[in-house]
Amino acid sequence: MTDSRPHQHDAGTGATPRSAAQRLRAALHAPRLARAMGAHNPLSARLAEEAGFDVIWASGLEISASAGVPDANILAMGECLDAAADLAAAVDTPVLADCDSGFGNVNNVIHMIRSYEARGVAGVCIEDKQFPKLNSFIEGNQDLAPLDDFAGKIRAATETRTDMVVVARLEALISGQGMAEALRRADVYERAGADALLIHSKRKDPEEVFAFREAYRGDLPVIVVPTTYNQVTVEELEQRGFAMAIYANQALRSSIRAMRDTLTRIMRDGTTHHVEAELVPVKEIFDLQRAPQMLAQQERYESLGRELAEAAQ
């Protein structure tokens, strides 16, 4: 599977290939809206890359759901890191990792940045809620972290990183603190050194995030997650001046429905015959696993080995 998108590769230009973090920054500052797709394992990341998404979102919801636990900081940082690093190793597309509220205090954030950067993750996103955080769409504690505490985390992250994008996620609208608080925090996080802002909302329409984007006077790219206001289009978001849209959980949700339906039908019918026409061929799995490339490189090096051995005789 090849990828010829110019923002992914510099092939043919003679230029040194850009790092994943540089490509993520380029996507955030491009004139068109960047599109990120949530993933939780290398297979889902490769499917998102195959579909043409600009960025892979290492989704906290998807990663925790795939482990069978709530999205509530149940998984330790190391488990989330391993999942994000597996995505980064599987695709050329830059990976932006959902890192909740930073897995603890400022020292945890410093350790997180060093660890994620060392494993090839292009960027991290941390949100200004208290640890342990709860998924924004679950009814429960959505209290914000003190402003000075989170600003310190952002500054620590940006002073620790070497080549990594740091996104500050604003949860003031989720927590009910309102637009003025969201804008106040946006200004502070920008001055703390964040590379981009993510404004989150659970409204059924996009008017709240539209109002934030219109009122925000800073210079940072602004990211949205149109989960609940899913009628909004890429064109509308571009016109409003947003930099990126993250489709954070749709791949997982669609796979759950498909698997549940297939398993139910097999159990009911006592055969797989009636579902086979709706399933991808096993060959497609082999292709996603890069089995043809594996066999080709095996043949290449075995042939080379034979040539070297014959030359020595």
Side-chain angles (χ1 to χ4, degrees), residues 30-77:
R32 68 179 182 86
L33 185 88
R35 307 181 205 189
M37 175 53 69
H40 58 277
N41 61 18
L43 183 65
S44 58
R46 284 182 177 168
L47 289 170
E49 182 173 70
E50 182 181 78
F53 284 90
D54 305 289
V55 175
I56 305 300
W57 170 250
S59 166
L61 173 60
E62 291 203 10
I63 291 168
S64 58
S66 68
V69 300
D71 182 16
N73 278 141
I74 304 299
L75 298 181
M77 188 205 82

Side-chain angles (χ1 to χ4, degrees), residues 82-136:
D82 285 344
D86 285 347
L87 305 187
V91 295
D92 292 328
T93 304
V95 172
L96 175 60
D98 178 3
C99 290
D100 298 332
S101 54
F103 302 107
N105 65 19
V106 68
N107 293 305
N108 297 91
V109 169
I110 291 169
H111 177 59
M112 176 198 77
I113 291 291
R114 290 172 177 161
S115 301
Y116 274 74
E117 188 167 29
R119 299 284 295 275
V121 177
V124 296
C125 177
I126 57 175
E127 63 190 79
D128 57 356
K129 287 199 302 224
Q130 296 192 29
F131 178 87
K133 58 84 50 145
L134 184 66
N135 184 282
S136 300

